[in-house]
Amino acid sequence: MSETTAVPFGTDAARLVLGIETSCDDTSVAVLEDARRLRAHLIAGQDLHRLYGGVVPELAARAHLELLPRLVAAALAEAKLAAGDLTAVAVTRAPGLVGSLVVGVAFAKAYALALGVPVVGVNHIEGHLHATALEHGAGPWPAVALVVSGGHTELVLVRGFGDYRWLGSTRDDAAGEAYDKVAKLLGLGFPGGPVLDRLAAEGDPAAFDLPRPMLLRPGLDFSFSGLKTAVALAVAPHGEPPYPPRLVADVAASFQAAVVETLVGKCLRALTETGAGTLVLGGGVSCNRELRQRLEQACAARGAVLRVPSPRLCADNAAMVALVGAWSLARGDVSDPDLDAVASLEASGLPVPRG
Ligand code: KG4
Ligand code: ZN
């Protein structure tokens, strides 16, 4: 959470919250009623980054600036509300690309000021931890949450709203970043996750013997950069892309098997070590079909509850931001007028181990 102070807005401020998400390359706006009912939820992906093979921060910030006012107007129209009906504005203030965050935070502060309603800064990772609550309700807690995206691979014990213990993180690349880099190596474009997920279904997961990073070692941290290097070495004898479709499918399947086995193994270890009975997923990589299937089987086998948001709520979205904002407002939190953007997770106020 951002630094907050109790203010006399009471729970009424949580009634109709405008959520704003601009931490990376998706511009998203939501209107959430009573922390439950999504009156509107729009996500504008920025396709222009495909041209560059990855997210270009300056272009992302500029696109947010263009898109935000239009999206807010469209969301209000969809919700059949006027701006004056809103009771608060919630905005992602950390972590992410600083230029993109600044656009969202500045917009949210100005908009809230103009409306005379409170603004509350939300931690994007906290949003992913609770996105599932929009579809399944909060809890049951304690839960182990895996947030797995292009920027993050975090395992967190969630004991309740605002009560977290960090269990593990990646020491280098995030899982989604590994997907994106391997797709690039194979000449498949950006982002890599969805296309590799699709191709993996056509390949042989045993074709290449790739490492399961850190799975045999104790602990709950991850490392994916070695896996990417192993893929690079595996395709090196075949020259440059384009590669034969069979090879691409086999690499995709072998790579995905290694990632999924590692993620599943660590999730199960975290459930065992913490005694939690619920596993929660969040982040773009949790759209992965094999990851979902394998976790469904593993959780069913041990009687654990699995909570996986639908794909729109797995990826970066403003609904989860509005939700965490509404919960924060309901307990009396609101951000100061000097709310600012914070790029790093370590400096974002969550209990993340440093260094
Ligand atoms: O959460 P997200 O939308 O944005 C952030 O990175 O914060 O996640 C995007 C990431 C990208 O790295 C993308 O390649 C990956 O999620 N991704 C997937 C799948 N869909 C998206 N990775 C594996 N399988 C998928 N089906
Ligand atoms: Zn995210």
Side-chain angles (χ1 to χ4, degrees):
M1 270 302 304
S2 57
E3 296 86 49
T4 53
T5 48
V7 291
F9 285 103
T11 53
D12 212 38
R15 202 166 49 76
L16 273 174
V17 176
L18 177 73
I20 294 177
E21 156 64 37
T22 63
S23 67
C24 190
D25 63 335
D26 292 308
T27 319
S28 181
V29 170
V31 179
L32 183 67
E33 184 175 348
D34 293 332
R36 257 190 309 273
R37 187 171 158 229
L38 262 182
R39 298 278 299 259
H41 188 204
L42 302 174
I43 304 173
Q46 300 177 1
D47 270 350
L48 81 170
H49 301 285
R50 289 174 193 265
L51 298 172
Y52 301 88
V55 177
V56 184
E58 289 78 4
L59 297 181
R62 215 176 296 168
H64 289 309
L65 200 57
E66 286 255 343
L67 290 165
L68 252 188
R70 293 165 204 270
L71 280 180
V72 170
L76 286 172
E78 190 177 310
K80 298 190 170 50
L81 293 169
D85 296 326
L86 296 169
T87 55
V89 180
V91 61
T92 299
R93 50 92 64 165
L97 301 172
V98 74
S100 292
L101 290 167
V102 163
V103 171
V105 169
F107 182 94
K109 287 199 294 189
Y111 203 73
L113 188 69
L115 295 177
V117 298
V119 63
V120 62
V122 169
N123 193 300
H124 177 89
I125 297 299
E126 201 173 10
H128 281 307
L129 296 180
H130 298 297
T132 177
L134 287 160
E135 294 172 317
H136 302 110
W141 294 315
V144 166
L146 174 70
V147 176
V148 69
S149 71
H152 297 281
T153 311
E154 317 288 341
L155 262 178
V156 184
L157 177 64
V158 180
R159 288 177 289 220
F161 177 50
D163 186 359
Y164 314 117
R165 180 158 70 83
W166 235 255
L167 301 170
S169 303
T170 183
R171 297 191 177 173
D172 40 58
D173 292 352
E177 191 178 354
Y179 266 95
D180 295 337
K181 287 179 175 172
V182 164
K184 201 168 188 173
L185 265 169
L186 296 173
L188 297 174
F190 173 86
V195 60
L196 284 175
D197 189 5
R198 200 173 61 243
L199 290 171
E202 296 160 22
D204 173 9
F208 294 92
D209 186 17
L210 299 174
R212 272 60 175 155
M214 319 256 310
L215 197 53
L216 296 177
R217 285 197 234 155
L220 293 167
D221 281 342
F222 301 91
S223 163
F224 290 105
S225 75
L227 181 55
K228 170 205 64 196
T229 307
V231 171
L233 291 173
V235 295
H238 302 274
E240 299 288 313
Y243 299 118
R246 182 82 244 155
L247 175 72
V248 174
D250 284 348
V251 171
S254 304
F255 166 74
Q256 178 150 294
V259 175
V260 169
E261 206 177 298
T262 305
L263 293 174
V264 171
K266 295 277 173 163
C267 286
L268 298 184
R269 187 180 295 173
L271 286 174
T272 303
E273 288 185 6
T274 60
T278 308
L279 180 65
V280 168
L281 290 194
V285 181
S286 39
C287 295
N288 187 272
R289 289 175 298 179
E290 193 177 333
L291 179 65
R292 286 170 175 245
Q293 279 165 13
R294 292 281 306 276
L295 284 175
E296 268 164 30
Q297 289 159 0
C299 286
R302 63 159 57 211
V305 175
L306 177 64
R307 294 274 193 249
V308 190
S310 55
R312 250 172 103 71
L313 294 175
C314 282
D316 289 349
N317 69 85
M320 66 184 192
V321 176
L323 178 72
V324 168
W327 284 357
S328 303
L329 290 157
R331 70 177 179 196
D333 293 345
V334 68
S335 297
D336 294 331
D338 62 352
L339 173 73
D340 57 359
V342 174
S344 88
L345 176 60
E346 286 71 18
S348 73
L350 288 178
V352 185
R354 284 155 205 255

